[in-house]
Amino acid sequence: QMQLVESGGGLVQPGGSLRLSCVAPRSILSVFNQYVMGWYRQTPGKQREVVATVTKDGVTNYADSVQGRFTVSRHNSRKTVWLQMNSLKPEDTAVYYCNTVPYSANSWGWGQGTQVTVSS
């Protein structure tokens, strides 16, 4: 099962910013463009939650917890999705993944994700 590749995480102080990237290197472009793509995050002991989604036409949606602070975007021909995260809070600490929304049997396999740690 093909996987997505996430990158861009790191350690940042509260109030800081990070930009995450997600690439589908082995995906056929027409397949990538079929899906609503999204960013998920997961902390130990909790289920993965969707924080942002973007359609192939660029329509976005956000979880209440990140609305106004995070911005999701995609470049279809590059098969890439980004998540710009501003005004980061300690509660944003998690492993971030991208995949289709909703996740289904037709989705990519889960990648390793990228760790975001917000701490002073």
Side-chain angles (χ1 to χ4, degrees), residues 62-106:
Y62 300 93
D64 289 344
S65 58
V66 307
Q67 179 76 46
R69 301 187 297 119
F70 290 10
T71 303
V72 61
S73 59
R74 67 191 284 170
H75 193 300
N76 291 331
S77 63
R78 295 183 187 176
K79 298 176 287 182
T80 302
V81 185
W82 295 280
L83 185 68
Q84 177 67 43
M85 304 187 296
N86 298 328
S87 302
L88 282 161
K89 304 176 180 180
E91 52 263 44
D92 294 319
T93 296
V95 179
Y96 285 72
Y97 304 86
C98 69
N99 217 313
T100 65
V101 179
Y103 182 78
S104 72
N106 294 323

Side-chain angles (χ1 to χ4, degrees), residues 12-68:
V12 64
Q13 292 186 341
S17 298
L18 286 172
R19 181 176 170 88
L20 308 184
S21 298
C22 168
V23 180
R26 299 181 182 177
S27 172
I28 298 172
L29 182 59
S30 59
V31 172
F32 180 83
N33 289 344
Q34 290 177 16
Y35 295 111
V36 175
M37 296 297 295
W39 284 93
Y40 297 74
R41 67 185 181 188
Q42 187 173 29
T43 54
K46 293 188 177 181
Q47 284 191 329
R48 234 166 236 147
E49 62 171 348
V50 177
V51 296
T53 64
V54 58
T55 70
K56 64 179 178 65
D57 298 319
V59 177
T60 59
N61 197 23
Y62 300 93
D64 289 344
S65 58
V66 307
Q67 179 76 46

